[in-house]
Amino acid sequence: MSEPKRGWFQRLTQGLSRSSKQMGEQITSAFTAKAPLDQAKLDELEEMLIEADLGPHSAARITERFGREKFGKAVDEQEIKESLAEAIGDELSSRQGRFDPLSGPRPYIVLFIGVNGSGKTTTLGKIAADLRSKGAKVLIVAGDTFRAAAVEQLKVWAERSGADFMSRPTGSDAAGLAFDAIERAQREAYDVVLIDTAGRLQNKQGLMDELLKVIRVIKKLDPEAPHETLLVLDATVGRNALAQENIFGNQIGVSGIVMTKLDGTARGGVLVPVAQASDSPIKLIGVGEGIDDLQPFDPRAFARSLVGLEEPIR
Ligand SMILES: Nc1nc2c(ncn2[C@@H]2O[C@H](COP(=O)(O)OP(=O)(O)O)[C@@H](O)[C@H]2O)c(=O)[nH]1
Ligand SMILES: [Mg+2]
């Protein structure tokens, strides 16, 4: 996951096409004539950014900057997109993080957290496949012990990727499983341990307590672990993702964010306020269900794709 795969920009563009189509259509309708940029057009632009879920603060900053650069000038669609992409890219540039488990300590322990349906298991599976293709020795741990279906789903990913797999019967203690898995990973010299977790227990505090217990137990075997706690957020829930980031970030501690299902929404701009609200960087993004649809987060490429520009800038 450290290096983007071939054709990644096309996948990104394709994945963000719902968002960029929406924005593109609005830009086209608002800026048809090559008329000088006035306040009414700026207001329209700001409204459009808010509608794309970029959040009021970013929308205001981006619009203000755009106005400063272009006010009174004739602007065409392409120029607007270029300027917007640059401004959005700048909003995000400090919010990028690298997920690179193969350059860390061994075994490198990664915990996946987030609410049910956010994409934890799928993301874990995609990462396992990527690591296996690089020859890494990978152990997948089915820490969502509450649902039999969750264990089965993860097992399929393990078989597909050729990673080893550990689970327990439904209802077992996830922390106990995590302990056994890490002990085994240390004994058998695994490179990476990927631990899935439940997204829903009886109540929110129950879930948080369970996750904290898993982390405490992991630390008994490796005080530095988990080396990575990835919070998986679903872009299609919109600004709800902000609330999730807040809860998991404050209660559990997060080292990186994965934003999934950017292909499933016309409001992929929500990544911007999430990135800005969070203490931890965005490390990966999901733009589809396939193995190659998980990408390292690249702020400039994301911004360009979001506004519908075809080429990455290098
Ligand atoms: N379109 C799309 N679907 C995704 C993406 N990531 C996950 N999904 C789907 O979202 C659903 C829930 O994912 P899952 O990994 O089971 O979520 P979990 O409950 O957090 O483990 C599944 O149908 C996945 O295939 C993505 O980036 N794009
Ligand atoms: Mg799951």
Side-chain angles (χ1 to χ4, degrees):
M1 220 44 69
S2 48
E3 294 302 322
K5 296 187 175 75
R6 266 168 61 100
W8 68 278
F9 190 78
Q10 285 66 33
R11 280 181 178 275
L12 179 63
T13 307
Q14 177 59 37
L16 288 173
S17 58
R18 284 201 198 185
S19 297
S20 61
K21 187 165 175 285
Q22 171 123 334
M23 228 187 247
E25 277 168 9
Q26 282 175 312
I27 292 174
T28 311
S29 70
F31 294 87
T32 35
K34 239 195 165 219
L37 182 68
D38 57 15
Q39 191 56 47
K41 291 245 184 298
L42 277 179
D43 291 346
E44 218 171 314
L45 182 68
E46 183 167 353
E47 192 52 42
M48 181 190 93
L49 294 172
I50 290 171
E51 261 175 49
D53 266 352
L54 269 88
H57 301 298
S58 290
R61 269 197 305 273
I62 292 167
T63 307
E64 201 258 334
R65 170 174 159 168
F66 186 65
R68 222 166 40 229
E69 288 169 4
K70 307 279 187 200
F71 202 85
K73 294 180 190 157
V75 281
D76 65 18
E77 201 181 318
Q78 184 70 15
E79 279 177 276
I80 293 170
K81 287 184 179 176
E82 292 283 349
S83 290
L84 272 184
E86 212 178 300
I88 295 170
D90 284 351
E91 290 280 313
L92 292 170
S93 60
S94 66
R95 311 304 312 137
Q96 172 187 28
R98 268 169 80 87
F99 175 69
D100 198 4
L102 295 181
S103 64
R106 308 279 159 103
Y108 195 87
I109 296 160
V110 186
L111 194 64
F112 294 79
I113 64 173
V115 304
N116 248 359
S118 61
K120 291 179 298 299
T121 303
T122 309
T123 300
L124 188 158
K126 291 172 178 172
I127 289 172
D130 179 63
L131 290 169
R132 287 290 304 140
S133 78
K134 292 170 177 153
K137 185 167 169 173
V138 178
L139 183 59
I140 290 179
V141 186
D144 183 354
T145 52
F146 277 76
R147 297 182 306 141
V151 176
E152 278 313 305
Q153 180 195 1
L154 195 57
K155 197 172 176 188
V156 171
W157 275 107
E159 281 163 5
R160 197 189 296 175
S161 62
D164 292 324
F165 182 73
M166 276 177 80
S167 66
R168 289 256 178 100
T170 311
S172 301
D173 177 34
L177 170 62
F179 187 88
D180 289 354
I182 291 164
E183 224 177 25
R184 173 177 167 194
Q186 290 175 337
R187 196 171 57 235
E188 298 179 18
Y190 277 84
D191 297 312
V192 183
V193 184
L194 304 173
I195 305 175
D196 199 11
T197 64
R200 182 175 58 209
L201 296 186
Q202 312 82 322
N203 58 61
K204 192 180 84 191
Q205 204 48 51
L207 170 60
M208 297 302 155
D209 291 346
E210 170 89 11
L211 291 173
L212 290 170
K213 185 173 159 200
V214 169
I215 292 170
R216 264 198 318 276
V217 161
I218 291 172
K219 285 193 186 300
K220 285 187 187 164
L221 292 169
D222 183 348
E224 300 297 312
H227 304 99
E228 194 70 85
T229 302
L230 292 178
L231 172 62
V232 182
L233 298 173
D234 171 352
T236 67
V237 305
R239 294 180 65 80
N240 226 323
L242 281 163
Q244 291 174 18
E245 189 286 321
N246 190 30
I247 292 167
F248 282 94
N250 286 335
Q251 298 216 29
I252 308 298
V254 168
S255 65
I257 290 173
V258 184
M259 182 155 271
T260 63
K261 306 192 206 176
L262 282 161
D263 55 307
T265 175
R267 298 174 144 209
V270 72
L271 181 140
V272 177
V274 168
Q276 285 172 341
S278 172
D279 292 331
S280 40
I282 310 272
K283 296 204 166 170
L284 301 164
I285 57 171
V287 291
E289 291 187 273
I291 281 183
D292 290 334
D293 292 323
L294 186 71
Q295 306 192 341
F297 174 58
D298 177 330
R300 305 232 156 258
F302 174 82
R304 291 184 71 79
S305 288
L306 188 69
V307 302
L309 288 169
E310 296 295 330
E311 290 300 318
I313 199 160
R314 284 285 154 229

